[in-house]
Amino acid sequence: QVQLVESGGGLVQAGGSLRLSCAASGRAFSSYAMAWFRQAPGKEREFVAALRWRGDNQYYGDSVKGRFTISRDNAKNTVYLQMNSLKSEDTAIYYCAADSSPWRAVPTTRRSEYRDWGQGTQVTVSS
């Protein structure tokens, strides 16, 4: 099991930027793909971004492509989400998640494949 703690959320104006961080502890962080999901009020939790255990092979949801960037620092056991050109529809609670299987060649976008989740951090974009 891995423990995940997100930080960096807050209130920002439309067009602004935020950088979320997710600090991990527990099982070998560097062996697992990591992902960000988000959940807006009244909506299902949706995939935002994922990257492979090595930090390459990034995948993004269609609504954030070209605006968000996922990265990781395995030496610091941390994954990041840089969010630029924020829109009001990006308002949600953002969760980081760790894959259930190590060394996956292609990071999955399926929520059910992620075993460990953080408590979430609120991002609010005002228009």
Side-chain angles (χ1 to χ4, degrees):
Q1 185 176 355
V2 62
Q3 291 75 43
L4 303 170
V5 179
E6 302 97 334
S7 61
L11 174 65
V12 64
Q13 287 190 331
S17 298
L18 279 176
R19 188 194 197 202
L20 305 183
S21 299
C22 174
S25 60
R27 60 181 164 102
F29 171 80
S30 60
S31 304
Y32 294 85
M34 296 293 294
W36 288 93
F37 288 76
R38 68 185 182 186
Q39 188 166 17
K43 295 188 176 181
E44 296 216 346
R45 193 169 298 190
E46 68 168 344
F47 170 77
V48 174
L51 82 170
R52 207 159 66 126
W53 53 274
R54 290 202 306 190
D56 54 0
N57 284 23
Q58 295 103 3
Y59 290 82
Y60 297 93
D62 289 341
S63 60
V64 306
K65 280 179 184 176
R67 300 187 298 122
F68 290 12
T69 302
I70 187 171
S71 62
R72 68 191 295 164
D73 185 338
N74 285 343
K76 296 182 178 180
N77 283 7
T78 303
V79 63
Y80 304 97
L81 185 68
Q82 177 66 43
M83 306 186 294
N84 298 329
S85 303
L86 283 161
K87 306 174 181 180
S88 57
E89 50 263 44
D90 294 318
T91 295
I93 299 174
Y94 284 71
Y95 299 90
C96 71
D99 199 346
S100 58
S101 299
W103 317 119
R104 200 188 295 264
V106 177
T108 177
T109 62
R110 291 198 300 269
R111 188 175 63 187
S112 61
E113 297 287 350
Y114 289 87
R115 186 178 73 181
D116 299 300
W117 294 80
Q119 82 289 347
T121 186
Q122 176 70 48
V123 172
T124 303
V125 184
S126 63
S127 56

